[in-house]
Amino acid sequence: MAIIEVRGLRKAYGEKRAVDGLSFDVQEGEIFGILGPNGAGKTTTVECVEGLRRPDGGSVRVAGYDPVADRDAVTRVLGAQLQESELQPKITVREALELYAACYPNPADWRALAERLGLADKLRTRFAKLSGGQKQRLSIALALVGNPGIVVLDELTTGLDPRARRETWRLIQDIRDSGVTVLLVTHFMEEAQRLCDRAALIDKGRIIALDTPSGLIGRTAGGTAISFVPSAPLETRLLADLPSVTSVRHEDGRIVVNGTDETVHAVLSLLAGLGLSAHQLRVTEATLDDAYLDLTTGPDA
């Protein structure tokens, strides 16, 4: 069941079309990713979903409501963590949670949220004294304090170290497991591959692919790569004729063959038949990074 419906969404800033006819649905209870290069239109898209920007064309429905015309209703069902947001430096964690909770008729228990998000021992700490990871945890808590059924997280882990990023990933999974639908904007492909049930890849204001992470990876040119240094000269023509091979190239003294899992077995069988050994053998699977690079053209100028 779609809880967010976007149809033909358009938004321009002067002559620049930031969003150019986007259409997608977000199913209730899933983590849906919005991916793409800087300037692709990701943040503009979710700001239209949140009701922070008025679309120039198309339609958006959040739990059946128009985010602009039914703003009050949307704020009761949707919580948001913005790409760039700051609190007053001297406000404490407790004060921020109490303030935001006071804005809703039926808020969540902010004390339970603080406990759940590892902020219980930081309630008296001022915002300016929090670490980057703690600030992100607080922004999640503030997005959830209204008891929303949907939460939008925009570039949530930018600037976090690897440990803090992975802790935040666990929190996002916990949020989804509690029944909240998550709309996640990110440019970290590992993050999207780890978390998202489905993802829309946006480039220059348009959706160029929408699928599960594994489905997007399946569209990349080289699903599996096998690289090695042969023990004796080897004609690449022999490798190119093997099943499922998409490309063969020389790279830093190594032979790199792209294909599928079937290709790996075929290459090793060929080498064995020729009496050759594969030195420094490496087999790597394609990732969402590979799909991203294959499908996008890079950031707009």
Side-chain angles (χ1 to χ4, degrees):
M1 179 178 178
I3 196 166
I4 298 175
E5 299 176 345
V6 177
R7 297 288 181 271
L9 181 65
R10 292 183 288 106
K11 181 65 180 178
Y13 304 110
E15 297 298 318
K16 178 179 173 57
R17 291 186 179 182
V19 179
D20 191 13
L22 291 188
S23 296
F24 63 90
D25 292 335
V26 178
Q27 302 302 311
E28 188 171 4
E30 74 174 336
I31 299 177
F32 186 93
I34 301 288
L35 318 178
N38 293 332
K42 305 186 299 297
T43 293
T44 295
T45 298
V46 297
E47 286 178 345
C48 290
V49 170
E50 294 161 340
L52 298 178
R53 294 194 184 275
R54 184 184 296 271
D56 295 332
S59 65
V60 179
R61 292 293 181 271
V62 177
Y65 299 111
D66 182 320
V68 175
D70 306 313
R71 185 173 181 80
D72 288 345
V74 169
T75 58
R76 289 195 292 271
V77 298
L78 184 146
Q81 172 268 331
L82 304 180
Q83 184 181 41
E84 295 183 8
S85 59
E86 289 286 324
L87 298 177
Q88 293 177 326
K90 292 185 178 181
I91 195 171
T92 66
V93 171
R94 180 190 184 102
E95 290 169 341
L97 290 167
E98 287 180 332
L99 176 63
Y100 275 61
C103 295
Y104 297 95
N106 297 297
D109 181 349
W110 61 262
R111 296 171 185 81
L113 274 177
E115 182 71 33
R116 176 181 172 191
L117 294 170
L119 294 170
D121 62 344
K122 298 293 180 182
L123 293 179
R124 296 183 179 180
T125 304
R126 300 188 188 279
F127 182 77
K129 298 295 184 181
L130 297 175
S131 69
Q134 290 162 353
K135 288 179 179 179
Q136 294 294 57
R137 288 171 181 268
L138 177 57
S139 67
I140 295 174
L142 297 177
L144 294 174
V145 76
N147 263 330
I150 307 161
V151 64
V152 179
L153 306 175
D154 192 352
E155 303 289 6
L156 180 65
T157 60
T158 297
L160 298 185
D161 63 54
R163 185 181 301 279
R165 183 173 296 126
R166 280 163 176 75
E167 289 174 354
T168 303
W169 291 351
R170 286 193 290 270
L171 292 175
I172 295 171
Q173 290 171 322
D174 289 345
I175 291 168
R176 189 270 303 278
D177 291 344
S178 70
V180 177
T181 301
V182 179
L183 182 58
L184 177 69
V185 180
T186 182
H187 63 264
F188 290 115
M189 294 303 106
E190 182 186 0
E191 180 169 287
Q193 187 171 341
R194 178 78 64 90
L195 296 176
C196 294
D197 298 297
R198 294 185 302 136
L201 186 53
I202 299 176
D203 196 15
K204 297 183 178 178
R206 299 182 178 183
I207 291 179
I208 56 174
L210 196 164
D211 209 331
T212 63
S214 60
L216 292 173
I217 292 169
R219 303 187 189 195
T220 190
T224 301
I226 177 171
S227 64
F228 60 94
V229 177
S231 57
L234 174 64
E235 292 185 35
T236 55
R237 172 184 56 80
L238 299 176
L239 295 168
D241 292 337
L242 293 176
S244 303
V245 169
T246 57
S247 67
V248 181
R249 68 183 187 277
H250 289 273
E251 187 175 286
D252 299 328
R254 304 170 63 83
I255 294 177
V256 181
V257 183
N258 289 98
T260 65
D261 290 342
E262 180 184 3
T263 305
V264 177
H265 299 295
V267 169
L268 295 178
S269 296
L270 173 67
L271 293 175
L274 296 172
L276 301 178
S277 300
H279 300 305
Q280 303 175 34
L281 177 67
R282 298 175 190 166
V283 178
T284 57
E285 297 292 332
T287 67
L288 200 52
D289 270 319
D290 298 309
Y292 175 89
L293 292 172
D294 279 354
L295 293 170
T296 62
T297 58
D300 269 342

